[in-house]
Amino acid sequence: MISPRRMVVVTGFESISDDKQLDLLKRIVPGISRVAVLWNAANPAKLADWRELKPATHSLGVELQSVEVRRPEDFDGAFAAIHELLPEGLLTLGDPLTV
């Protein structure tokens, strides 16, 4: 039997920076410690965004779990990976592929 898990997903905040979204997620769920980050690894700008999230992890006490996609066909595997990682939240680095 699979035990139920709780994962928090916050949507609709495209206008604030990714590190601010992570901070908001931590404020909504103070005990959160593992966050999966879904992002387009084929987009150089998203690689920069991924790297910019790293400093926030230390101050927030959050471990980020990278889940990369490069094309639409990658999403099934990405969601399977997210299921296996057991994150408590999901942050998507928005770009045309992931939005």
Side-chain angles (χ1 to χ4, degrees):
M1 179 176 175
I2 298 173
S3 63
R5 296 189 318 235
R6 182 177 67 122
M7 181 168 68
V8 176
V9 179
V10 178
T11 64
F13 295 101
E14 192 67 29
S15 63
I16 63 173
S17 66
D18 298 315
D19 60 329
K20 296 289 186 201
Q21 288 183 49
L22 185 60
D23 180 61
L24 178 62
L25 185 58
K26 182 70 176 188
R27 289 173 187 256
I28 292 170
V29 186
I32 200 168
S33 62
R34 288 182 322 279
V35 176
V37 180
L38 179 66
W39 62 287
N40 180 359
N43 181 341
K46 295 299 116 182
L47 177 59
D49 291 347
W50 166 249
R51 289 179 177 157
E52 288 175 12
L53 278 175
K54 294 286 187 170
T57 63
H58 301 293
S59 63
L60 295 173
V62 174
E63 173 191 348
L64 299 181
Q65 301 165 318
S66 175
V67 181
E68 300 175 12
V69 293
R70 289 181 170 77
R71 57 187 195 278
E73 297 81 18
D74 295 341
F75 281 95
D76 285 342
F79 291 127
I82 290 168
H83 179 75
E84 293 296 317
L85 290 169
L86 303 175
E88 299 159 325
L90 174 66
L91 177 65
T92 301
L93 304 184
D95 87 327
L97 178 64
T98 59
V99 173

